[in-house]
Amino acid sequence: MIVRDLAEAERTERRVDSKGWSSVRLLLKDDGMGFSFHITTIEAAAELPMHYKHHFESVYCISGEGEIEDLATGERHQIRPGVMYALNNNDRHILRARSELKLACVFNPPVTGREVHGPDGAYPADPAADLARSA
Ligand code: 9YT
């Protein structure tokens, strides 16, 4: 069994800060669960274009208000506590925070540690995960 405390994890390398967001990665690839699990904070007024080309992500809103725009269709969905979105098509999107957002996020394949977005809005592919898929 794995038990971790968010407040403790926040004081370790599990906390990753980037422009407009920070994330505490409570579960990572090396935990062997097949997914990673993060508690992410998006700053109020942040506008984040993202495109997880190599990962599926599912996001549950714990607190705060914002919206997600699907860049393929232009559709905008309101984000508020209780709402979940899943990027099941590696969807290109923009996340806008009207107030600070607290989100619980799951990535498959799991992120390995310190990933932040590249200029294309993606996290790098895990070469080991690619090998496993093609085997
Ligand atoms: C919602 C989202 O994707 N925010 C960026 C950070 C990401 N959730 C992460 O790495 O935890």
Side-chain angles (χ1 to χ4, degrees):
M1 188 181 295
I2 301 166
V3 178
R4 292 195 177 113
D5 181 277
L6 179 63
E8 281 170 21
E10 217 160 6
R11 296 192 292 267
T12 70
E13 285 291 292
R14 291 183 178 279
R15 179 185 168 126
V16 175
D17 289 273
S18 189
K19 197 173 162 22
W21 61 268
S22 66
S23 191
V24 183
R25 290 160 176 181
L26 288 170
L27 289 170
L28 285 165
K29 182 185 178 189
D30 65 3
D31 290 307
M33 298 290 288
F35 57 86
S36 56
F37 179 65
H38 320 176
I39 300 297
T40 296
T41 305
I42 310 282
E43 287 171 16
E47 183 160 325
L48 304 175
M50 295 181 272
H51 187 196
Y52 295 116
K53 298 175 189 173
H54 313 293
H55 299 83
F56 292 135
E57 185 193 23
S58 149
V59 175
Y60 175 80
C61 178
I62 300 167
S63 63
E65 306 275 338
E67 69 171 27
I68 181 169
E69 179 175 350
D70 180 340
L71 289 174
T73 63
E75 250 181 306
R76 292 173 179 219
H77 306 274
Q78 298 310 301
I79 305 297
R80 57 181 180 278
V83 172
M84 184 279 308
Y85 64 85
L87 304 169
N88 59 322
N89 289 315
N90 302 108
D91 311 77
R92 212 158 56 83
H93 64 286
I94 299 177
L95 182 62
R96 298 187 180 92
R98 279 193 292 276
S99 59
E100 181 185 270
L101 290 169
K102 289 277 181 199
L103 306 170
C105 309
V106 172
F107 279 76
N108 170 25
V111 307
T112 62
R114 307 285 305 164
E115 285 94 333
V116 291
H117 303 101
D120 58 353
Y123 291 164
D126 175 357
D130 280 352
L131 278 178
R133 263 198 297 275
S134 64

